[in-house]
Amino acid sequence: MSDGPTYGFDTLQIHAGARPDPATGARQTPIYQTTAYVFRDADHAAALFNLQEVGFIYSRLTNPTVAVLQERVATLEGGVGAVCCSSGHAAQIMALFPLMGPGCNVVASTRLYGGTVTQFSQTIKRFGWSAKFVDTDDLDAVKAAIDENTRAVFCESIANPGGYVTDIRALADVADAAGIPLIVDNTSATPYLCRPIEHGATLVVHSTTKYLTGNGTVTGGCIVDSGKFDWSANDKFPSLSEPETAYHGLKFHETFGPLAFTFHGIAIGLRDLGMTMNPQAAHYTLMGIETLSLRMERHVENAQKIAAWLEADDRVDYVTYAGLPSSPYHDRVKAHYPRGAGALFTFAVKGGYDACIKLVNALEIFSHVANLGDARSLIIHSASTTHRQLTPEQQEAAGAGPGVVRVSIGIEDADDLIADLDQALSKASA
Ligand SMILES: *Cc1c(COP(=O)(O)O)cnc(C)c1O
């Protein structure tokens, strides 16, 4: 099919990027389990290496199965191109890589996936990059944090560990005024609940490990480019606007226009960083994406029911789900995320740390794991696991205090999930 703009999300999640296999007619996208591709002749090989012709050279750069996934995610997000890579964390480095250089910084939201906070506050320093963390609800603070070395603003749409949703448009306006891109991690929302590019984001990153795959089988990441940013409008992005010595002086923006970022991601990012997605992982994620909208509808419906049930329960102190009328972000959800606030939230158990531990141990359907976005319901007590290394103040700031658990609500029967929470809360408060 041609991916006309007239097709709806449910059609595109199954068809975008895929064609019957030209060699066999196979309807499902084959897993092209190959490292290299035979050149037609020496001229063909030269044209491919010169980026004069688009084709397959070597699977560190491009692979036909991965290419279908790239086109699918780009289409669902409303972008012009996408680069898949080995994990969500790889996607974040790959998104920053063309923009940054030693001495450059990214202004990042304080409300991020825990692993991203560590990656940004510690590990990127090895590249000479740094991050400044600000409350992205305070637009003046964001403006104040942006300096002449800032190369991007980074946030999550629906932020981990839950209960917070970003006003992407407001943040995009601040980034625009500063001449820098807004990068949105859309992992928890998925393009079904939120399409950040429509709200002004330049780049969207995903951990495809989560809802896009949807069954906890493979890790992967993706960077989608809106194609709308003018990389040559100022001198902040020389790797895209100036001759790039890492590719014999090629000017990516001049040569590839709106696809400059995507070509750079493949020709330099994947070529030299090597954080490549393998075709098996792309296959699992393509399978998952076919049912994305159906799963997200059920995830949201279940999360809404369970959050309301928990909020009304005496054994629970509070619930931070933005889909609840009690949430300070409820109006923002209605305005910007009309299909719902996702399926990730935290709740506080009366009895604190000990009660949380008992709850996690007593649950039977919920799995105690460090993951989210699985078809099955998951729970984690952050203070004793993912946030264990943090001080009590840092745990509270991250919404992961000792008396709080985080749930990722799956697509099982809501009544069964509620019954499971009910029996476990009884044991926790006994
Ligand atoms: C899991 C996650 C990541 C990191 O992705 P990996 O695939 O685990 O590397 C980044 N951001 C968010 C919001 C996540 O949930």
Side-chain angles (χ1 to χ4, degrees):
M1 63 179 276
S2 61
D3 306 329
T6 50
Y7 293 118
F9 192 96
D10 292 355
T11 306
L12 293 172
Q13 72 185 358
I14 294 172
H15 291 287
R19 298 146 195 99
D21 180 48
T24 62
R27 176 62 274 197
Q28 191 48 273
T29 300
I31 304 169
Y32 285 92
Q33 197 65 61
T34 183
T35 309
Y37 307 85
V38 180
F39 305 121
R40 288 195 301 272
D41 53 35
D43 287 345
H44 177 223
L48 290 174
F49 275 93
N50 271 339
L51 300 178
Q52 285 157 338
E53 191 177 325
V54 178
F56 299 102
I57 298 176
Y58 186 65
S59 283
R60 173 158 30 82
L61 308 171
T62 48
N63 170 280
T65 314
V66 177
V68 173
L69 178 61
Q70 287 171 166
E71 195 173 331
R72 177 116 9 124
V73 180
T75 305
L76 295 179
E77 286 287 3
V80 295
V83 182
C84 283
C85 52
S86 53
S87 70
H89 270 187
Q92 292 168 189
I93 295 297
M94 290 271 300
L96 292 175
F97 185 65
L99 314 177
M100 306 279 275
C104 294
N105 67 71
V106 53
V107 169
S109 169
T110 46
R111 298 181 188 88
L112 296 177
Y113 177 71
T116 307
V117 174
T118 310
Q119 188 188 53
F120 282 9
S121 63
Q122 306 297 330
T123 304
I124 64 171
K125 286 194 220 157
R126 305 280 187 103
F127 305 145
W129 310 347
S130 62
K132 301 188 195 180
F133 292 95
V134 291
D135 176 353
T136 45
D137 273 346
D138 184 348
L139 296 176
D140 289 332
V142 178
K143 281 179 207 156
I146 295 173
D147 63 31
E148 75 271 18
N149 294 319
T150 304
R151 293 294 176 269
V153 176
F154 188 99
C155 70
E156 292 179 16
S157 47
I158 297 179
N160 212 314
Y164 176 81
V165 296
T166 303
D167 185 343
I168 296 173
R169 171 58 64 189
L171 214 49
D173 288 344
V174 173
D176 267 355
I180 56 176
L182 172 66
I183 307 174
V184 178
D185 180 339
N186 202 30
T187 299
S188 312
T190 81
Y192 184 68
L193 299 181
C194 172
R195 289 163 35 107
I197 290 170
E198 286 174 2
H199 301 281
T202 296
L203 301 168
V204 176
V205 294
H206 276 283
S207 166
T208 60
T209 314
K210 312 294 170 51
Y211 292 104
L212 295 187
T213 304
N215 47 36
T217 47
V218 287
T219 57
C222 189
I223 310 107
V224 182
D225 181 16
S226 64
K228 290 182 181 154
F229 195 85
D230 182 358
W231 303 109
S232 307
N234 55 44
D235 59 3
K236 291 181 197 282
F237 307 103
S239 190
L240 290 156
S241 62
E242 298 299 315
E244 173 51 86
T245 50
Y247 217 97
H248 51 72
L250 187 70
K251 290 173 126 181
F252 278 85
H253 192 208
E254 191 180 287
T255 309
F256 301 111
L259 281 167
F261 194 93
T262 303
F263 271 87
H264 192 288
I266 293 168
I268 296 186
L270 289 181
R271 187 196 65 183
D272 295 347
L273 299 177
M275 302 163 162
T276 307
M277 177 181 276
N278 68 75
Q280 288 278 347
H283 167 74
Y284 283 111
T285 305
L286 281 166
M287 294 298 95
I289 285 187
E290 293 191 349
T291 58
L292 179 64
S293 64
L294 307 178
R295 287 184 287 107
M296 291 315 290
E297 270 171 19
R298 178 64 71 84
H299 277 297
V300 168
E301 188 186 316
N302 281 358
Q304 194 71 42
K305 277 187 199 159
I306 291 164
W309 180 84
L310 284 166
E311 190 172 50
D313 194 282
D314 283 345
R315 295 162 296 186
V316 172
D317 255 335
Y318 60 86
V319 181
T320 63
Y321 183 54
L324 291 172
S326 59
S327 164
Y329 297 105
H330 191 244
D331 290 342
R332 194 176 283 177
V333 170
K334 282 208 290 204
H336 300 286
Y337 304 76
R339 285 168 160 165
L344 197 66
F345 61 86
T346 59
F347 63 94
V349 186
K350 283 189 185 144
Y353 189 99
D354 292 341
C356 288
I357 298 284
K358 282 189 206 158
L359 174 84
V360 165
N361 285 336
L363 283 163
E364 284 168 11
I365 301 176
F366 281 80
S367 307
H368 184 202
V369 301
N371 191 19
L372 61 96
D374 196 320
R376 45 193 67 62
S377 292
L378 314 174
I379 189 164
I380 193 153
H381 180 235
S382 307
S384 63
T385 55
T386 50
H387 292 63
R388 201 185 174 87
Q389 319 298 336
L390 304 188
T391 63
E393 296 73 34
Q394 286 174 315
Q395 289 179 351
E396 292 293 346
V404 165
V405 288
R406 186 197 74 192
V407 285
S408 170
I409 301 296
I411 58 176
E412 302 99 330
D413 283 288
D415 290 345
D416 291 341
L417 297 175
I418 288 173
D420 195 26
L421 287 164
D422 191 26
Q423 63 82 18
L425 278 168
S426 296
K427 288 182 186 142
S429 48

